Amino acid sequence: MASANLLFFVLMLSSVRVGRSSESLFKLKCQPAVGVIGQTTHISCSIEFYTKPKPVVINTVALTRSGEKKSCFTIQPLENIRIGDSRFDVEKEPSLQLHNTAISDEGEYRYLIRTNLGQDQVRFTINVTAKYSNPIITSVPKEIVNDGAADLYCNASGGYPAGTIHWFDQSNTNWTKSATLQSTQGNDGLFTLSSKLSFQKIDSLWAPFRCVVLNSKYEEEEGGTTSTLEIKDNPENSPSTSSTVNNSIAGVVVIGSLIVGLLIVLLFKRRRNKRAVPMEHTYPEEEKDLNEPVYKKAAEAEEIFTV
């Protein structure tokens, strides 16, 4: 009886050693994957041998989401058996690929393979992203006036995960701290970003403004946008107003000059008339002798100044 128990113990020990030896011939490794919504995600995996590499024949592949007991994808190539999500596939043993990636695919997975050299399993994560649309800038009012109040808006949609928007002026000064951001997630899981930058007095020297979309890692996405909004001069200081004022002043000057000239002419004529009056009264009618030289000159002078 004792010998039988000893034999059984030896057999169990040898089987454990064989099992461990078989499982320790290689190690499975997988890199974290980043997928884009609607596209194919590649999950890069490899086999690292502890001993001299040998031909590997995979007979079972099983992929299970963390927290779940049932695998979401299982394949047995030798038996041509495939179970679970058909979007998963073995790309190049032991790497995987996921077609038509969705937000719901994001998470951690447990990947198990069984081969002719034993089995091993590893955990990896899938992160999902979606690029935002090119941001668009609008303003209220539509026509911005220098030194006037203005609200600038920047909108981008269709992105994942939630990102942020930064504002820059023409000198690359960051105005983001003065802006307010609103992030809204739709029924499809995608986000819409809306940022508002307000000014009580905007300066045309700051233009043009541009808004840039940053992803969840604060990395700038390709694209961005630059404001094409024009900032007009204040109407009070506009060239048209200045021209009107100048024309008005010029008109006043011309009219004033004409009035002054007319007054000078009238004053000159009045003085001439005053000079002629004493000569009339100096020589009474009854004492005038028009043939005398004195009276003759007076008459001529009177005729000249009364013209």
Side-chain angles (χ1 to χ4, degrees):
M1 185 67 179
S3 61
N5 290 335
L6 180 60
L7 179 61
F8 177 76
F9 178 76
V10 171
L11 290 175
M12 287 294 295
L13 182 62
S14 62
S15 63
V16 170
R17 287 181 177 177
V18 170
R20 288 181 178 177
S21 177
S22 176
E23 291 180 359
S24 63
L25 291 179
F26 68 90
K27 182 176 180 61
L28 179 63
K29 290 185 176 182
C30 292
Q31 300 295 325
V34 178
V36 178
I37 293 176
Q39 299 183 15
T40 299
T41 301
H42 299 276
I43 305 162
S44 178
C45 298
S46 61
I47 293 177
E48 183 180 286
F49 291 93
Y50 292 128
T51 60
K52 185 178 180 180
K54 298 179 180 180
V56 178
V57 178
I58 297 177
N59 54 55
T60 302
V61 167
L63 190 63
T64 307
R65 298 196 65 151
S66 293
E68 298 181 2
K69 295 181 179 181
K70 185 178 180 181
S71 62
C72 59
F73 170 67
T74 302
I75 184 173
Q76 295 177 321
L78 300 180
E79 287 78 15
N80 197 24
I81 297 176
R82 180 189 294 266
I83 303 173
D85 195 337
S86 60
R87 297 178 302 132
F88 282 99
D89 199 0
V90 177
E91 181 178 21
K92 184 179 180 183
E93 296 179 351
S95 295
L96 302 171
Q97 62 182 5
L98 171 61
H99 301 284
N100 194 22
T101 305
I103 295 178
S104 58
D105 297 321
E106 195 170 51
E108 186 182 55
Y109 293 81
R110 186 173 70 254
Y111 184 31
L112 169 70
I113 63 171
R114 293 191 179 97
T115 72
N116 60 322
L117 301 178
Q119 69 178 32
D120 195 14
Q121 66 177 359
V122 68
R123 293 179 182 270
F124 66 86
T125 57
I126 295 179
N127 293 315
V128 179
T129 64
K131 183 182 177 181
Y132 286 88
S133 62
N134 290 334
I136 298 174
I137 292 181
T138 56
S139 69
V140 175
K142 188 174 182 180
E143 292 186 356
I144 301 176
V145 178
N146 189 38
D147 288 336
D151 293 327
L152 304 184
Y153 296 89
C154 180
N155 296 281
S157 59
Y160 184 86
T164 187
I165 290 177
H166 279 207
W167 289 91
F168 300 91
D169 63 14
Q170 60 88 20
S171 63
N172 213 35
T173 300
N174 194 326
W175 289 81
T176 307
K177 290 184 178 180
S178 301
T180 56
L181 177 69
Q182 183 178 1
S183 179
T184 306
Q185 189 172 21
N187 295 330
D188 56 0
L190 302 179
F191 287 90
T192 297
L193 304 177
S194 179
S195 181
K196 177 183 178 181
L197 180 61
S198 299
F199 295 94
Q200 292 184 346
K201 287 186 177 182
I202 194 167
D203 194 329
S204 59
L205 297 178
W206 297 333
F209 282 89
R210 64 188 179 95
C211 66
V212 178
V213 177
L214 305 179
N215 59 26
S216 59
K217 296 180 180 180
Y218 282 85
E219 297 172 341
E220 181 176 345
E221 291 198 349
E222 295 180 2
T225 186
T226 300
S227 171
T228 57
L229 302 174
E230 296 182 0
I231 300 180
K232 297 184 178 181
D233 289 330
N234 193 310
E236 296 179 357
N237 302 324
S238 63
S240 59
T241 304
S242 300
S243 177
T244 303
V245 173
N246 292 336
N247 291 338
S248 300
I249 294 175
V252 171
V253 171
V254 171
I255 294 174
S257 300
L258 292 175
I259 293 174
V260 172
L262 182 60
L263 291 175
I264 292 174
V265 172
L266 292 175
L267 181 61
F268 181 72
K269 294 182 75 173
R270 185 176 180 182
R271 286 182 177 180
R272 287 193 301 177
N273 290 337
K274 283 185 177 182
R275 291 177 182 177
V277 169
M279 298 183 69
E280 289 182 359
H281 293 280
T282 303
Y283 305 98
E285 288 292 335
E286 60 274 10
E287 298 178 0
K288 287 182 180 179
D289 186 356
L290 300 178
N291 292 325
E292 292 185 9
V294 175
Y295 298 113
K296 193 173 184 180
K297 290 181 180 181
E300 291 176 355
E302 182 179 359
E303 183 178 359
I304 292 173
F305 284 102
T306 56
V307 173

